[in-house]
Amino acid sequence: DSKACRPLKCSPLLVKQAALNGIPDCFRGTVWFKLAAADRIATQNPSRFGQLVRMRCGHDDKIRSDLHRTMATIHFFRGEGSRGQEKLFNV
């Protein structure tokens, strides 16, 4: 709900307690980004994500072949080469 999606400023203990009750969808990406210290890493290495996305690995073809089965009922992930599948591949 919109009340749950307002920005919070609170102590780490309160964040932990709230997370145990479930992180609202609208905050999930931001929360994990902060908890993983990705914001700090992105500031220190602004071009690193782009470098990693362009790197190939020996499993790329297998990963791409499985994308259509991942979250197949969600419209965002439907369609080979869709925006959702590309974002998922980059994870």
Side-chain angles (χ1 to χ4, degrees), residues 4-46:
C5 292
R6 280 189 244 141
L8 300 173
K9 293 183 180 180
C10 50
S11 72
L13 180 60
L14 188 56
V15 171
K16 181 180 179 180
Q17 289 171 341
L20 291 173
N21 292 324
I23 298 169
D25 289 344
C26 58
F27 283 134
R28 229 171 249 165
T30 301
V31 168
W32 287 116
F33 194 75
K34 294 275 189 189
L35 290 175
D39 55 336
R40 182 179 47 82
I41 294 166
T43 300
Q44 292 171 349
N45 304 293

Side-chain angles (χ1 to χ4, degrees), residues 72-84:
T73 60
I74 299 174
H75 181 73
F76 185 70
F77 296 103
R78 289 186 193 155
E80 187 175 334
S82 68
R83 183 171 171 237

Side-chain angles (χ1 to χ4, degrees), residues 42-62:
T43 300
Q44 292 171 349
N45 304 293
S47 62
R48 185 65 175 144
F49 181 75
Q51 293 169 346
L52 293 171
V53 166
R54 288 187 296 277
M55 289 174 64
R56 302 278 302 166
C57 80
H59 303 286
D60 285 357
D61 292 335
K62 180 63 177 162

Side-chain angles (χ1 to χ4, degrees), residues 58-75:
H59 303 286
D60 285 357
D61 292 335
K62 180 63 177 162
I63 293 168
R64 284 204 184 277
S65 72
D66 286 340
L67 285 176
H68 73 281
R69 290 185 283 237
T70 306
M71 298 182 229
T73 60
I74 299 174
H75 181 73

